[in-house]
Structure formats: structure tokens, C-alpha cells
Amino acid sequence: MKIEIHEGFPETEVIINCQCNNESIQKIAALLQGTDEKLSGLKDGALHVIDPRDVFYFDTVDKRYFIYTEHDVYETHLKLYEIERLLPDALFFRSSKSQVINIAKIASLWPDIAGRFEVVMKNEERVIVSRRYARALKERLGLK
């Protein structure tokens, strides 16, 4: 793959020239399109604008939805399926019925008994990838 970056233009434009439009190209396009999305979250009564690239994971507890960043936790009105539609597949992965994780924020993962994975995020928080989603995560990370 050849990548060139040219500066000095009034507007950012990305053109992908490829032999065929395959799944890899679609993921690259989705990643580029998803970078402009912003999320909103509530913390201490104030509404905050959150860049999805700063999100480590999303979680739901007792029908309340939360955004976890490196140091903060925000409550959001978005349900997990809405988050999955809004954000690029190339970055985010459904890890259980109640969580969506940012693949770019994974530091390491450990196989757990019962076919699950324990994932250590870059902020040292630990999350569990359920057995149902473990195989898909291995495939996404290129593990066998």
C-alpha cells in the first residue's frame, strides 16, 4: 500500500485508488469517516464532548450506559447498538452483551477458563470478552 500526504489544501479530501473495493478498503473508509464523529457524555452535571478515539470502552449497568476514557467515566443516552452503528467497525468491537471495546486501546489479553478472554486495556483496566465473542476478537486481531 502506498500512502502520500500533501499539505496546503483548503479542505481535507481522501481518495482511495484500489484494484477492487474489498473488505479491507471498506474498513479503511469506515475508519476515516468515523473520525469526525463526536460523542456526548454527562459527568458531574456537565455535558462533555468526547472524541471516540479517546474512548477505552462502553458499558451498560442497570439500563444505564457509560463511556470509559483513560481517567473518566461519563453517562450517555446512547444504547450499545446505537454506538455500534455510529462508530467505525475498524476501531470498536462488541465484547459482550454489555460492552463494546476500543481495539486500539488493548494492551494485552489472556485466555480465561471457559473460553473467555481477559483483556487488559492501556489504562490497566481489565474487561472480559465473553466466550460468544472471543473467536471474533481473535480473528480481528489476526490470532489463531
Side-chain angles (χ1 to χ4, degrees):
M1 179 184 323
K2 179 178 150 185
I3 298 175
E4 294 181 25
I5 299 174
H6 303 278
E7 296 181 43
F9 291 90
E11 183 178 58
T12 301
E13 177 184 37
V14 176
I15 298 170
I16 300 173
N17 296 316
C18 56
Q19 192 171 19
C20 69
N21 188 357
N22 58 26
E23 187 177 341
S24 296
I25 299 299
Q26 290 298 318
K27 284 183 180 182
I28 291 168
L31 183 61
L32 290 168
Q33 289 170 337
T35 57
D36 289 339
E37 293 293 336
K38 297 292 182 217
L39 302 168
S40 61
L42 196 61
K43 180 180 176 201
D44 299 329
L47 191 62
H48 297 264
V49 176
I50 304 160
D51 188 325
R53 291 172 291 200
D54 295 333
V55 173
F56 278 68
Y57 62 96
F58 300 90
D59 195 20
T60 180
V61 178
D62 295 332
K63 297 184 182 181
R64 294 173 64 196
Y65 300 90
F66 300 95
I67 301 170
Y68 291 79
T69 62
E70 186 170 11
H71 301 291
D72 295 308
V73 178
Y74 304 91
E75 189 166 358
T76 183
H77 67 282
L78 293 171
K79 294 175 176 39
L80 293 183
Y81 73 87
E82 294 171 321
I83 289 166
E84 286 181 298
R85 285 187 198 152
L86 182 67
L87 298 175
D89 240 13
L91 283 181
F92 292 91
F93 175 79
R94 174 70 80 133
S95 58
S96 70
K97 280 179 67 177
S98 63
Q99 278 184 338
V100 173
I101 61 175
N102 184 341
I103 292 176
K105 301 294 186 183
I106 294 175
S108 62
L109 52 105
W110 299 87
D112 192 346
I113 53 174
R116 302 180 309 180
F117 279 110
E118 180 177 345
V119 174
V120 179
M121 306 301 285
K122 289 182 178 178
N123 64 351
E124 298 184 14
E125 281 197 55
R126 297 174 184 274
V127 297
I128 299 295
V129 175
S130 73
R131 187 174 63 184
R132 177 178 178 193
Y133 297 95
R135 175 180 276 170
L137 179 62
K138 285 172 57 174
E139 290 172 4
R140 284 283 287 284
L141 296 175
L143 305 172
K144 291 189 176 188

